[in-house]
Amino acid sequence: MTKLSVFFTLFLFQALSFASHGHCKAEDDEVAVKQYELQKGNLKLGFTNYGATLNSVTFPDRHGKLADISLGFDNPEDYKNDTVYFGNIVGRVANRIGGAGFKLNGTYYKLPANDHNNTLHGGPKGFSDVVWKVTELVQTSKQAHITFSYDSFDGEEGFPGDLSVTVTYMILKHNILAIRMSATPLTKATPVNLAYHGYWNLGGHDSGTILNHTIHIISHSYTPVDDQLIPTGQFAMVKGTPYDFTTRPRQIGSRIDEVEGGYDINYVIARKIGPLEPHLEKTAVVRDEASGRKMELWTNQPGVQFYTGGVTYNKYAGLCLETQGFPDAVNHPNNFPSQVVEPGHTYVHVMVFRFTAA
């Protein structure tokens, strides 16, 4: 994908949020947990409105054999008991907030802790654990996209202000998945850091581990963490460490034994890019030699969390590449990009995945 086509994708997503389409379906005010599908060419996507979740991504290997390359549940009701965020949209603030609290505009906001003494992925009942409304569903020969919306109220999980949130998943061409997350504060300034928490296994969700997958993360530094995975506020270079997937692509399992518990770290993609700026950067490339599948990722966010955990499937059954603002940025205002969005401004987070097989 050229830089020009990446910008065109972003333009499409910005236009999408203001345009209306003739071939659409919207839900009524009473929202139940449901399943949805989109398909274009050989790329087929499955969704549930519980957590605005992308719960299946089906794409062929080099021989044309189809497989679901994302991890998740077949029954949407199972997401109500999910503890690993399979394919969910997480927020209001993804990743960790140290000490389960932060200060903003002179007020200290205490949040519920759900990860030791910290707040993870928006709290015990974040955006991954609410039922979203489908405001648009378009499936034609030329267009395939679905938009979820959620109205977060002032004080929800301790966060300030009402927040209007939308997420659109869109298939471009026959092999590109674009995700646009946006949020507009209505009454108060608030931190916003939405993330798509998808788990990938390019061999197929039931094919074994991802340790033989090759990954290239386009980043030269990461944000070190303490023993509770809270960033110290510093930056460290990846070169020569087990976190170095930049100098050359290598297998995920090649040095994973040197990292306690597997990978769970935020990489710095581009220090100067923030959540309100439109420029997209190529972030990572993942390959599975056995199937021939390759996944490329672009984003407009400053960081990406590389995670190889999860307990529902076998250990190392999937990998996450969660583009995001930096973890605990609200408590590091002097050296991490700000996640605070003022009323009248809109947070925009774009991810673009391209799938191929060769």
Side-chain angles (χ1 to χ4, degrees):
M1 182 182 293
T2 65
K3 187 165 287 189
L4 179 63
S5 63
V6 168
F7 275 115
F8 180 64
T9 299
L10 183 59
F11 171 78
L12 276 177
F13 260 42
Q14 290 174 329
L16 183 64
S17 63
F18 300 103
S20 60
H21 301 272
H23 305 279
C24 66
K25 177 183 177 182
E27 292 183 333
D28 56 27
D29 291 334
E30 185 175 348
V31 181
V33 177
K34 299 179 182 178
Q35 289 181 291
Y36 308 86
E37 285 188 353
L38 292 177
Q39 184 168 2
K40 202 170 184 183
N42 288 324
L43 182 57
K44 182 178 180 181
L45 310 177
F47 306 90
T48 175
N49 56 338
Y50 192 89
T53 298
L54 174 58
N55 65 347
S56 67
V57 179
T58 302
F59 191 75
D61 66 8
R62 64 160 64 91
H63 302 296
K65 183 180 179 181
L66 294 172
D68 182 1
I69 58 174
S70 69
L71 277 58
F73 299 108
D74 295 329
N75 185 345
E77 293 293 328
D78 291 338
Y79 284 94
K80 295 179 179 180
N81 298 314
D82 176 27
T83 59
V84 294
Y85 308 96
F86 278 134
N88 301 150
I89 297 297
V90 294
R92 175 177 308 196
V93 175
N95 216 303
R96 291 170 176 84
I97 295 178
F102 62 93
K103 190 174 183 179
L104 177 61
N105 295 333
T107 299
Y108 183 77
Y109 293 94
K110 183 60 180 174
L111 311 175
N114 62 330
D115 183 67
H116 302 289
N117 295 318
N118 313 302
T119 299
L120 174 65
H121 293 328
K125 192 176 181 181
F127 293 172
S128 58
D129 284 312
V130 297
V131 180
W132 295 56
K133 185 176 181 179
V134 173
T135 54
E136 190 167 46
L137 174 60
V138 177
Q139 177 68 79
T140 70
S141 59
K142 294 183 179 180
Q143 297 185 58
H145 66 261
I146 186 170
T147 298
F148 298 93
S149 68
Y150 178 67
D151 293 324
S152 179
F153 56 88
D154 183 19
E156 184 174 13
E157 296 300 283
F159 290 99
D162 298 331
L163 186 71
S164 178
V165 188
T166 63
V167 177
T168 296
Y169 297 91
M170 185 178 193
I171 302 177
L172 301 171
K173 298 184 177 179
H174 64 281
N175 65 336
I176 295 173
L177 163 63
I179 305 173
R180 183 186 192 272
M181 296 164 261
S182 65
T184 303
L186 304 179
T187 54
K188 298 177 184 177
T190 183
V192 181
N193 183 31
L194 306 178
Y196 163 65
H197 204 295
Y199 288 76
W200 302 98
N201 187 322
L202 299 186
H205 73 98
D206 56 356
S207 65
T209 76
I210 44 79
L211 297 180
N212 289 331
H213 283 31
T214 299
I215 190 168
H216 180 205
I217 299 176
I218 304 168
S219 166
H220 295 285
S221 61
Y222 66 97
T223 51
V225 295
D226 64 18
D227 59 359
Q228 293 190 1
L229 300 180
I230 303 300
T232 63
Q234 304 301 310
F235 298 90
M237 303 302 292
V238 301
K239 188 172 183 179
T241 74
Y243 300 108
D244 186 0
F245 296 96
T246 302
T247 304
R248 60 178 179 83
R250 59 183 176 85
Q251 288 188 339
I252 292 171
S254 59
R255 299 184 68 179
I256 199 169
D257 289 342
E258 300 176 50
V259 181
E260 184 178 356
Y263 292 101
D264 191 3
I265 198 72
N266 173 65
Y267 286 83
V268 179
I269 299 305
R271 292 283 302 277
K272 295 181 180 180
I273 294 179
L276 302 180
E277 298 174 357
H279 184 75
L280 298 188
E281 291 285 346
K282 193 166 189 179
T283 303
V285 181
V286 184
R287 289 183 173 88
D288 172 45
E289 296 299 331
S291 67
R293 293 187 184 93
K294 179 173 76 170
M295 181 179 76
E296 300 165 274
L297 171 62
W298 289 258
T299 189
N300 68 332
Q301 294 300 287
V304 59
Q305 191 84 9
F306 178 42
Y307 178 55
T308 57
V311 296
T312 302
Y313 285 71
N314 292 329
K315 190 176 182 180
Y316 303 139
L319 66 95
C320 298
L321 289 167
E322 307 157 55
T323 56
Q324 60 183 3
F326 294 169
D328 200 32
V330 288
N331 290 314
H332 298 281
N334 296 325
N335 48 351
F336 283 3
S338 175
Q339 296 170 359
V340 176
V341 186
E342 299 286 342
H345 294 268
T346 298
Y347 161 99
V348 177
H349 178 175
V350 174
M351 307 177 77
V352 177
F353 297 90
R354 181 169 66 178
F355 305 98
T356 52

